[in-house]
């Protein structure tokens, strides 16, 4: 199904976007086909690509290709092609793959899904005729929220140890040039909460090899006690422990869903704030527009507007 919507861009004008789902890729060895949503501006060329990895979450459909519309729609309106796969960890697939050994989180498969999307980018363009000749295959970013941010970190170069084999796993994807890491799990040596046993792959994560440039986003009220008592600063570890160039956006007052990025009116959002979501989306888009050379001044201008002064939505640190 193809949908066309309008969202409000930075100039206050409607910017048309198109969204098609499901687009299906057949991946040899994957237990089910790889299904994704494709969202893009209705016009424009030379579109950079964002691979977006959903979180795990508690909702049935937000952790799938159908989630994260408040963020994805605005990114598309600002000139990006956004590809959203349903990872095997999605609740929508639990009845089909929940018995497999890597269930329920499928941490390794989630990262390889993104490699399959890049391998199939030409096929995706053919499946969505409105994209023909409009996509820049060389300008690719990965973005993810929560568990999806962990996926993004692995693709950006972070390494971990497979808890079943003891193998050091390197899933870095060299075609990815930029990253956006939203509310990511941090270092593993402080995992002491009641849900820590569910993420054994995170215990040995090594951010020192995460060399790809990235924007790391952390809410200063995101206290994930179910995993650790390290406090909100735990979510800044991908910035603190990785080498530069990195940028940290600390969002004031934000909890784990960062104001509601996972879905419109989502009941799992404990800090619902549409203005915060819009600001975060504008900052994310501006960071990537500048990083990919589409608008060299976008990042500085957006930071000046949203992170300076008494009404700042957050604080920026760089290294």
């Amino acid at each position: 199904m193809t949908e066309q919507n309008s969202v409000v861009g930075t100039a206050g004008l409607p910017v048309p976007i198109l969204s098609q789902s499901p687009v299906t890729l057949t991946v040899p060895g994957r237990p089910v086909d790889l299904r994704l949503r494709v969202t893009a501006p209705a016009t424009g060329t030379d579109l950079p690509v964002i691979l977006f990895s959903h979180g795990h979450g508690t909702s049935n459909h937000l952790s799938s290709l159908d989630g994260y519309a408040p963020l994805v729609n605005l990114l598309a309106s600002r000139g990006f092609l956004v590809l959203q796969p349903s990872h095997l960890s999605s609740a929508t697939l639990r009845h089909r793959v929940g018995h497999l050994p890597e269930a329920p989180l499928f941490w390794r498969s989630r990262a390889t899904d993104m490699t399959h999307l890049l391998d199939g980018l030409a096929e995706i363009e053919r499946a969505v005729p409105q994209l023909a000749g409009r996509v820049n295959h060389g300008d690719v970013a990965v973005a993810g929220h929560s568990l999806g941010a962990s996926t993004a970190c692995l693709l950006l170069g972070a390494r971990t140890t497979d808890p079943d084999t003891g193998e050091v796993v390197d899933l870095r994807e060299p075609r990815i040039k930029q990253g956006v890491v939203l509310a990511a799990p941090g270092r593993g040596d402080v995992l002491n909460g009641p849900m820590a046993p569910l993420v054994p792959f995170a215990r040995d994560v090594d951010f020192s090899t995460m060399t790809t440039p990235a924007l790391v986003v952390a809410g200063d009220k995101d206290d994930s006690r179910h995993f650790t008592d390290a406090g909100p600063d735990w979510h800044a570890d991908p910035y603190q422990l990785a080498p530069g160039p990195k940028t940290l956006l600390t969002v004031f007052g934000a909890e784990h869903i960062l104001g509601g990025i996972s879905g419109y009116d989502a009941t799992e959002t404990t800090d619902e704030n549409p203005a915060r979501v819009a600001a975060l989306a504008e900052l994310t888009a501006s960071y990537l527009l500048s990083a990919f050379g589409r608008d060299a001044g976008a990042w500085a201008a957006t930071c000046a507007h949203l992170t300076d002064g008494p009404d700042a939505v957050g604080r920026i640190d760089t290294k």
Side-chain angles (χ1 to χ4, degrees):
M1 178 175 65
T2 302
E3 305 163 353
Q4 188 158 315
N5 305 295
S6 292
V7 295
V8 178
T10 52
L13 300 174
V15 179
I17 65 171
L18 61 89
S19 181
Q20 180 166 318
S21 72
V23 174
T24 301
L25 298 179
T26 298
V27 177
R30 198 175 189 269
V32 297
D33 287 340
L34 180 55
R35 289 158 55 96
L36 64 143
R37 176 178 293 273
V38 177
T39 308
T43 59
T45 59
D46 197 33
L47 304 179
V49 179
I50 300 175
L51 311 175
F52 193 91
S53 181
H54 62 73
H56 194 58
T58 58
S59 299
N60 288 326
H61 294 278
L62 296 182
S63 59
S64 76
L65 58 80
D66 291 319
Y68 293 89
L71 181 58
V72 168
N73 287 352
L74 200 148
L75 289 172
S77 80
R78 296 281 273 125
F80 295 92
L81 167 63
V82 186
L83 306 181
Q84 294 176 262
S86 285
H87 296 302
L88 295 178
S89 63
S90 172
T92 62
L93 294 173
R94 190 174 297 145
H95 63 294
R96 301 182 63 185
V97 300
H99 64 287
L100 296 177
E102 202 183 329
L105 299 185
F106 292 94
W107 63 272
R108 190 193 292 252
S109 169
R110 291 172 61 96
T112 57
D113 281 347
M114 300 311 207
T115 291
H116 294 316
L117 292 187
L118 291 177
D119 292 342
L121 193 51
E123 184 178 349
I124 293 168
E125 285 189 71
R126 289 191 295 271
V128 186
Q130 298 95 326
L131 292 179
R134 300 177 57 209
V135 182
N136 186 319
H137 290 222
D139 284 352
V140 179
V142 64
H145 173 246
S146 193
L147 182 59
S150 179
T151 301
C153 287
L154 293 175
L155 291 161
L156 295 169
R159 297 178 183 175
T160 192
T161 300
D162 188 316
D164 296 321
T165 67
E167 166 199 11
V168 176
V169 179
D170 181 358
L171 294 170
R172 181 179 181 272
E173 173 50 74
R175 290 173 289 184
I176 293 173
K177 306 304 182 186
Q178 294 286 336
V180 179
V181 178
L182 302 156
R187 65 193 187 278
D189 60 350
V190 295
L191 283 168
N192 53 17
M195 294 183 67
L198 297 179
V199 290
F201 64 88
R203 290 200 172 276
D204 294 307
V205 65
D206 180 5
F207 293 110
S208 71
T209 55
M210 197 175 95
T211 56
T212 307
L215 171 66
V216 177
V217 179
D220 70 356
K221 302 299 183 184
D222 186 2
D223 193 356
S224 300
R225 293 279 169 155
H226 51 299
F227 284 122
T228 179
D229 60 7
D233 288 347
W234 184 60
H235 296 286
D237 283 349
Y239 171 81
Q240 300 292 354
L241 303 178
K246 295 289 184 296
T247 300
L248 174 64
L249 167 60
T250 303
V251 184
F252 299 150
E255 299 177 14
H256 195 60
I257 312 297
L258 299 169
I261 64 171
S262 64
Y264 294 114
D265 297 324
T267 56
E268 66 186 43
T269 302
T270 57
D271 63 330
E272 187 172 32
N273 188 323
R276 179 179 295 143
V277 174
L280 174 57
E282 291 292 357
L283 285 160
T284 300
S286 297
Y287 171 85
L288 292 173
L289 286 169
S290 292
F292 286 130
R294 300 301 193 279
D295 185 345
W299 175 240
T302 305
C303 286
H305 177 59
L306 293 174
T307 65
D308 287 344
D311 297 323
V313 301
R315 181 183 69 251
I316 298 293
D317 296 287
T318 60
K319 66 177 183 180

